[in-house]
Amino acid sequence: MKLQLTLTTLFTALYLNNVYAITDDAYACNKAYEQGDFSTATTLATKALNANSRDRDALMCQGRTYSAQGDLKSALTALKSAEKLSADAFDKTIVALVTGHAYKNAGQYDQAIASYQESLKQAGIAKSKAFERVSYIGIGNAHFETRQYPLALESYLTATKLDANDNERGESFENIAETYHLMSQHDLALEYQIKAYFMHQKSGTPDQFAHSSIELGRYYAAAKNFTSAENTLNKIIKFANEQGGAYYEAQGSYVLAQVKAASGDMQSAKALIEKARLIAKNTNDSALDEEITKETQNLIK
């Protein structure tokens, strides 16, 4: 199973834990949305709204579902209706946050940032540090996707001050590490990825630990520390194999192939790519196979 830690997932966990009177259909709509079953989510939202056109939670779910299906206009219509039904700062925080996601999904980053800033403002009024944190991450992600890495870094670093536990700290450290990596500040990328690794080793899921390990190996390689890169990647490949994590075993293998190629061992690199492809074939994972091709197509001449 691939790591699926997204801002949308963070929103859902916070939202459903803070809503006290949500209808069954609206709740089920959100669950269907999280599972990627947008057809069912649409049906459930419609059902809830047919029963009560002022069901704000159903409108929210409808807006999220339209956004996921690429229909920004319909998403904004639903979310604006939900905003009109928002009675307090907490409700307004949620609407602004989801509106930011919708704009970001549509590639309208300036509007996304404006919405995230509004959610940040409303979260401050509501005294919700959890949603302030998610708002800062949203702003950071919008800057990240437009390659404005210093601005992304500023938001991510601010978000760390609002982290409530080791799991959240691990997530924040990974955001910072990746940003530093893309800024070619490899020592700082390593510093934060090592922190993320230990946070996820202590409190994360197996997926989070595996992902952080592979990224750590990648960043060691970027810093030309090939020995540490190989040791880190070999450990996670072994761990993934023992835990039945085929995706991470394959990903660790092709990243290790990149390390081997960088250090001049082309024979080992080729064998590792073949191993990764075999895992993709045996698990019928076409997306993984495409990922391997993308990451290794210029590796072996």
Side-chain angles (χ1 to χ4, degrees):
M1 182 174 63
K2 301 180 185 180
L3 185 67
Q4 295 293 337
L5 185 62
T6 66
L7 192 57
T8 301
T9 304
L10 290 173
F11 157 78
T12 300
L14 288 170
Y15 176 60
L16 294 181
N17 286 336
N18 284 277
V19 173
Y20 303 104
I22 185 171
T23 63
D24 290 343
D25 286 328
Y27 184 89
C29 177
N30 280 289
K31 288 298 184 180
Y33 172 90
E34 285 306 309
Q35 294 168 2
D37 188 353
F38 303 132
S39 177
T40 298
T42 298
T43 299
L44 288 164
T46 301
K47 181 181 176 183
L49 291 167
N50 284 339
N52 178 9
S53 62
R54 296 175 61 81
D55 187 333
R56 179 180 170 278
D57 300 310
L59 285 165
M60 294 281 292
C61 188
Q62 185 181 63
R64 299 173 74 203
T65 303
Y66 279 134
S67 172
Q69 295 173 314
D71 187 349
L72 177 62
K73 182 178 179 180
S74 295
L76 293 177
T77 297
L79 293 171
K80 286 176 182 177
S81 295
E83 198 278 333
K84 292 176 183 178
L85 297 170
S86 299
D88 54 33
F90 179 79
D91 287 351
K92 292 176 181 178
T93 299
I94 304 297
V95 175
L97 190 63
V98 177
T99 301
H101 297 345
Y103 277 124
K104 185 175 75 68
N105 290 345
Q108 297 189 23
Y109 296 104
D110 288 342
Q111 295 91 328
I113 290 170
S115 293
Y116 289 136
Q117 288 171 336
E118 178 62 21
S119 71
L120 179 61
K121 173 186 172 183
Q122 296 298 331
I125 295 171
K127 301 187 184 325
S128 173
K129 289 188 176 182
F131 276 101
E132 285 186 57
R133 173 181 179 268
V134 176
S135 298
Y136 275 118
I137 293 172
I139 294 169
N141 288 349
H143 286 311
F144 184 92
E145 291 189 19
T146 54
R147 301 184 180 181
Q148 298 181 74
Y149 299 130
L151 291 174
L153 188 61
E154 182 181 344
S155 292
Y156 291 151
L157 286 167
T158 302
T160 63
K161 300 173 184 177
L162 299 166
D163 292 337
N165 52 56
D166 286 342
N167 193 274
E168 290 184 358
R169 281 183 274 277
E171 295 163 7
S172 291
F173 291 152
E174 285 208 321
N175 287 335
I176 295 167
E178 184 178 11
T179 307
Y180 274 129
H181 172 67
L182 291 172
M183 295 170 69
S184 297
Q185 296 189 35
H186 301 307
D187 289 342
L188 285 168
L190 269 176
E191 177 186 335
Y192 278 93
Q193 191 60 35
I194 288 169
K195 291 180 180 179
Y197 172 88
F198 283 117
M199 291 296 102
H200 288 315
Q201 184 181 51
K202 178 181 178 182
S203 303
T205 66
D207 278 8
Q208 289 173 321
F209 174 65
H211 176 77
S212 68
S213 298
I214 291 170
E215 292 307 295
L216 180 58
R218 197 192 303 273
Y219 299 162
Y220 271 130
K224 308 298 182 185
N225 189 338
F226 298 126
T227 298
S228 292
E230 288 192 28
N231 288 340
T232 300
L233 291 165
N234 277 319
K235 286 179 182 177
I236 198 58
I237 290 168
K238 182 175 183 292
F239 173 83
N241 176 269
E242 292 172 348
Q243 298 295 318
Y247 172 77
Y248 289 110
E249 183 180 1
Q251 188 183 47
S253 295
Y254 79 65
V255 174
L256 182 56
Q258 294 170 339
V259 176
K260 292 289 189 181
S263 59
D265 187 352
M266 303 309 293
Q267 183 175 353
S268 295
K270 184 177 180 180
L272 285 161
I273 293 170
E274 291 174 352
K275 175 185 176 181
R277 289 197 181 282
L278 182 61
I279 292 171
K281 179 181 178 181
N282 289 342
T283 55
N284 296 313
D285 193 336
S286 59
L288 172 59
D289 189 66
E290 290 175 7
E291 181 181 329
I292 295 166
T293 297
K294 179 181 177 182
E295 293 289 334
T296 64
Q297 58 187 347
N298 298 319
L299 210 60
I300 306 298
K301 305 297 184 182

